[in-house]
Amino acid sequence: MRANGQRRLAAAGAPAAPALPAVPRTAVPAVTYVLFVVMAGGTVPTPVYALYAQRLHLSPPVVALVFAAYAVGILAALLLFGGLSDKIGRRATLVPALAVAVVSSVVFIALPTLPGLFAGRLLSGVSVGLTTGAATAYLRELHPSPPRAALIASVTNMAGLGSGALLSGVLVEYAPSPDVLPYTVLIALLLPGAALVLLPERGAAPRGGGIRPQRIGVPPAVRRPFTAAAVAVFASFALLGLLAALAGNFLAEGLHQHSRLAVGLVAFSAFGSAGAAQLLAVRLAPRTGLVVGMTAVPLGLALILTGLSAASLPAFLCGSVLGGAGAGTSFKSGLALVTSQAAPDRVSELVSGYFVAAYLGLTVPVVGVAVLLAEGTLMTAAGVFAGVVTVLCLGSIGVTAALGNRTPTRRTPP
């Protein structure tokens, strides 16, 4: 059909569009692999936090701030360089992102100090921020089904985060050099991603131009659905951030579990179930998915609190799985709701605002819980967190229910 269209254009005197290069069979798996490994790097330090805290005498708030540097790096990359791959190309963005991820691991190995931890986490966040947008766009161009490509990107995102924590937990628990080997293995996994240079570009030609910060805006007509989605993703990422940053504290103080593998298993349970839930939520309408997710997150938190009070690791893990599944469902449904409501020329603004809410949720509540841990008891900190997140979930459900049929649908300009 594309060739016939080009012949018709040529017959009419119009220049034919240049034929796109063929897509190698390995293209989609290669880009998916790069996204998976870079995302895995985001949680590799999770089981090592307790070791850093012991060696460097770090309090829970300081550990939480180290974790927060990761989200700062992601937000900086998304807001400053979110459109970089449109300007210089997908490959030209992903290869430097891989290099930044390698440098991040080198910093962790070479500088196991507090400044080194901040620098390593910040660089890791930058690599994730650069990779997420470019890899998602690249998959949409390489895969014959854009919706399926978006699903692959979303699930790979969560699967990578979960797998990084689990792999690191195994290495920290059973292998030598626990503060070096996980990053060495990660570097070895990152290097094959350089094969991306062999893949073709598939989108429009890079258009060049200066780099401008991504504008964020919420048109009045979509403020209600955006609020419902933003509150949901804030609450969802708050739970995921808590388990990624402070699982070691919760397991050691509440369950008397000092296994680094258990820490990795908790993070894997949450992020893995988040990825799996997105596959199961494909057929759910966005508003239905938000309500389901926002119901599951408080229930998961209730199980986590039960596990802490009863010193039960199985209950804690079940809560992580249920809460993670709710977070994954909410994330996918909220993003679908946001992107379906705006005019095409405002989608990137809304998506940027959505991710800002997500990564604020990943960091701000975790720092608050860490402060409560330093000043009070574990159950007090966990209870306050669970109460605040539950209120947010109920608020999101209320706004979603109030949307009714008044939510505007996206209109394509004439």
Side-chain angles (χ1 to χ4, degrees):
M1 292 181 65
R2 182 176 295 169
N4 291 336
Q6 291 177 350
R7 284 195 292 270
R8 286 196 296 270
L9 286 172
L20 292 173
V23 177
R25 290 184 178 181
T26 57
V28 170
V31 176
T32 303
Y33 173 82
V34 168
L35 178 60
F36 176 86
V37 177
V38 172
M39 297 306 301
T43 52
V44 162
T46 295
V48 199
Y49 283 141
L51 183 61
Y52 290 138
Q54 181 180 6
R55 289 184 179 178
L56 302 176
H57 308 290
L58 305 180
S59 65
V62 175
V63 173
L65 288 174
V66 170
F67 175 79
Y70 169 71
V72 171
I74 294 176
L75 285 173
L78 288 174
L79 297 179
L80 295 177
F81 307 109
L84 183 62
S85 69
D86 295 329
K87 298 179 181 297
I88 68 174
R90 312 304 183 202
R91 291 175 307 176
T93 302
L94 288 173
V95 173
L98 279 168
V100 173
V102 171
V103 172
S104 169
S105 293
V106 171
V107 169
F108 276 117
I109 293 172
L111 296 173
T113 62
L114 183 57
L117 298 184
F118 276 113
R121 288 304 280 164
L122 186 66
L123 289 170
S124 178
V126 170
S127 70
V128 167
L130 289 174
T131 301
T132 301
T136 301
Y138 207 0
L139 286 171
R140 287 177 63 88
E141 294 164 357
L142 293 170
H143 200 284
S145 170
R148 187 173 293 272
L151 182 62
I152 291 172
S154 183
V155 173
T156 301
N157 204 302
M158 293 295 179
L161 289 167
S163 299
L166 182 61
L167 172 63
S168 180
V170 171
L171 294 175
V172 171
E173 185 70 18
Y174 299 113
S177 302
D179 58 343
V180 172
L181 188 60
Y183 305 110
T184 305
V185 171
L186 178 61
I187 292 172
L189 293 173
L190 287 165
L191 291 179
L196 282 176
V197 298
L198 302 176
L199 298 183
E201 290 284 2
R202 292 287 295 176
R207 60 176 184 263
I211 298 174
R212 298 178 180 177
Q214 173 64 55
R215 185 174 64 177
I216 297 176
V218 182
V222 296
R223 282 178 183 166
R224 283 177 178 264
F226 178 84
T227 298
V231 172
V233 79
F234 183 96
S236 299
F237 272 53
L239 173 60
L240 296 176
L242 181 78
L243 296 176
L246 298 175
N249 295 83
F250 278 69
L251 292 179
E253 295 183 30
L255 307 181
H256 311 294
Q257 288 277 345
H258 299 277
S259 167
R260 306 293 184 260
L261 177 57
V263 176
L265 186 60
V266 167
F268 176 77
S269 299
F271 286 105
S273 63
Q278 292 179 72
L279 291 173
L280 298 175
V282 168
R283 298 180 182 274
L284 292 179
R287 279 177 278 178
T288 302
L290 271 185
V291 173
V292 170
M294 288 291 90
T295 302
V297 167
L299 293 176
L301 280 169
L303 280 174
I304 288 174
L305 287 176
T306 300
L308 288 174
S309 62
S312 169
L313 181 59
F316 193 95
L317 285 173
C318 287
S320 300
V321 169
L322 181 57
T329 303
S330 300
F331 173 73
K332 180 186 181 302
S333 301
L335 185 59
L337 181 64
V338 165
T339 56
S340 70
Q341 302 306 310
D345 60 339
R346 305 296 297 273
V347 171
S348 64
E349 295 178 44
L350 283 174
V351 170
S352 295
Y354 182 78
F355 277 102
V356 167
Y359 288 106
L360 286 176
L362 193 71
T363 54
V364 175
V366 171
V367 174
V369 170
V371 172
L372 290 175
L373 281 175
E375 300 295 332
T377 66
L378 175 69
M379 289 305 298
T380 298
V384 170
F385 175 85
V388 171
V389 170
T390 298
V391 169
L392 291 174
C393 292
L394 293 175
S396 178
I397 291 174
V399 176
T400 303
L403 291 176
N405 295 320
R406 295 177 295 165
T407 305
T409 56
R410 185 169 69 190
R411 298 186 299 273
T412 303

